[in-house]
Amino acid sequence: MATVFQTQEGDTHFEELVDFIGQLIAAEIARLTESQGQDSQAAEALKEKEGFKTFTSTAKKALKEAKYEDFIKQILQTADFFGKDAKYYSSVFQVLTALICRLAQNEKDQSRLAEPILDFALNNNKCSLSMRFKALAILFNFATNFPEFRYHVLTRIFDLAHKTQKPSIILNHLVNLQGHADTLKLDFKRELELHKLALKLADTLEEKNNKERFDVYFNYLTKLNSNFNKSVFDENKTEIKSILTNILRKFPRNIDFNRFVALKVVGEFQSVDKVLYELLVIAINGDLESYSKWKA
């Protein structure tokens, strides 16, 4: 679908990007063509990739006709051609994101034009995780004029981290959560949404990462505590109960849970589930008989 926007007169780096990718495609197709007689895998790969021979002409046509969304999609499709080996793609994402930021007049434009990159990052399993995270990071860092869009990209970064189920990736993003929130100057509601995404990530971690898991729990409860009122409590009762239940079920003895009980938002939970709350207090105080019966 064409947009009403135009790039600045004299821009050539978008065509240069097309030529650069086209040359790489042509070189790879030539290599596969030469190898197919001796290598059956090369022959199969060539069949899959011959459709990209027309990339340069179709991409330039979309650019000339100002069909920028089509242009962006065509560029991203070439990532499939190179798969996990496209080390140069950081530059590609930077050029595409610069184009999007130039064209977008408001948050809505930014979101619409960037949607192909978001979809690529979340769903393109042919490309490396590193490439997909890099695409999101570049979008996040470039779109400084659109805070709502940046927040949306940040939630997609957390979604992709969750999809990986890889503890190292998940821990890396959990550590950076507060920094991101501070950078975006999020209000209480938005920051709480971010902490809820962190809860989802934390619950995928293994037992050996219990300290990091319980830090996420505590940070979420502390955020609730910072703006505590009945409405906030009622809207988050489900998450609070899940946290307290997880604490009791796992309960590593090297974690100090007194800090949890000291929070007003946790103390208020007595009115919702007195038994659960009292079990937590009993376990923390070291009288584990009732707690052990419950856990069994």
Side-chain angles (χ1 to χ4, degrees):
M1 182 176 71
T3 72
V4 297
F5 310 116
Q6 297 292 329
T7 54
Q8 293 180 5
E9 188 173 348
D11 278 347
T12 59
H13 47 285
F14 303 118
E15 286 201 6
E16 289 170 356
L17 175 66
V18 173
D19 287 335
F20 172 63
I21 296 175
Q23 288 165 11
L24 291 174
I25 288 173
E28 178 64 5
I29 286 178
R31 185 189 70 78
L32 291 170
T33 301
E34 188 174 333
S35 303
Q36 65 179 326
Q38 300 83 32
D39 185 348
S40 59
Q41 288 185 333
E44 286 300 314
L46 182 62
K47 287 180 185 178
E48 288 183 14
K49 296 183 174 185
E50 281 197 317
F52 288 92
K53 284 181 177 179
T54 60
F55 160 74
T56 301
S57 59
T58 54
K60 285 188 176 180
K61 183 173 184 290
L63 193 59
K64 184 177 181 181
E65 294 175 357
K67 295 179 178 177
Y68 296 116
E69 285 139 307
D70 289 348
F71 173 72
I72 291 166
K73 287 175 184 176
Q74 287 171 21
I75 296 289
L76 291 174
Q77 283 171 1
T78 62
D80 289 349
F81 183 97
F82 301 103
K84 300 184 185 298
D85 300 323
K87 296 177 182 178
Y88 67 90
Y89 245 76
S90 289
S91 300
V92 173
F93 292 132
Q94 288 173 359
V95 173
L96 289 184
T97 304
L99 172 64
I100 290 168
C101 290
R102 175 174 293 179
L103 296 176
Q105 303 296 307
N106 50 49
E107 296 267 6
K108 186 177 179 181
D109 291 339
Q110 182 80 14
S111 297
R112 175 171 52 80
L113 289 163
E115 188 57 38
I117 298 181
L118 292 173
D119 181 68
F120 164 85
L122 287 173
N123 300 312
N124 193 317
N125 295 320
K126 293 181 180 179
C127 299
S128 69
L129 278 172
S130 173
M131 187 194 299
R132 294 157 68 188
F133 274 115
K134 201 162 285 182
L136 293 174
I138 290 170
L139 273 181
F140 179 82
N141 291 329
F142 268 62
T144 53
N145 292 330
F146 303 110
E148 192 66 23
F149 172 75
R150 293 186 85 196
Y151 174 77
H152 178 63
V153 173
L154 183 57
T155 63
R156 300 287 78 81
I157 290 173
F158 274 72
D159 286 343
L160 182 56
H162 186 263
K163 272 189 171 186
T164 69
Q165 299 288 295
K166 292 179 180 289
S168 59
I169 291 175
I170 288 169
L171 288 169
N172 179 56
H173 286 88
L174 288 175
V175 166
N176 293 326
L177 181 146
Q178 194 57 52
H180 290 319
D182 293 343
T183 297
L184 294 177
K185 297 181 171 65
L186 297 176
D187 60 20
F188 174 77
K189 182 180 177 182
R190 282 295 202 209
E191 193 166 345
L192 196 58
E193 288 174 359
L194 209 55
H195 278 280
K196 285 185 178 181
L197 289 176
L199 290 180
K200 189 167 74 169
L201 287 179
D203 283 336
T204 68
L205 294 174
E206 301 169 353
E207 292 277 326
K208 66 180 181 180
N209 298 121
N210 269 340
K211 181 184 181 303
E212 290 82 2
R213 183 204 307 272
F214 291 122
D215 282 345
V216 171
Y217 291 167
F218 185 70
N219 290 339
Y220 170 75
L221 294 172
T222 302
K223 178 53 60 178
L224 288 179
N225 219 59
S226 71
N227 197 26
F228 180 79
N229 57 51
K230 187 177 185 305
S231 174
V232 168
F233 180 77
D234 288 344
E235 288 172 5
N236 293 274
K237 280 190 293 192
T238 301
E239 287 79 13
I240 297 169
K241 182 171 183 176
S242 175
I243 287 172
L244 298 184
T245 302
N246 280 338
I247 288 173
L248 280 167
R249 291 202 182 282
K250 300 179 186 300
F251 208 81
R253 298 302 298 166
N254 61 332
I255 303 290
D256 176 16
F257 290 114
N258 283 293
R259 57 180 180 157
F260 285 81
V261 177
L263 295 172
K264 187 175 181 180
V265 70
V266 175
E268 188 70 19
F269 200 76
Q270 293 180 78
S271 63
V272 177
D273 192 328
K274 188 175 181 179
V275 173
L276 184 63
Y277 177 81
E278 289 183 348
L279 278 168
L280 179 63
V281 174
I282 288 168
I284 287 172
N285 290 335
D287 179 5
L288 300 180
E289 185 179 349
S290 298
Y291 160 65
S292 297
K293 289 178 181 176
W294 174 82
K295 189 176 181 181

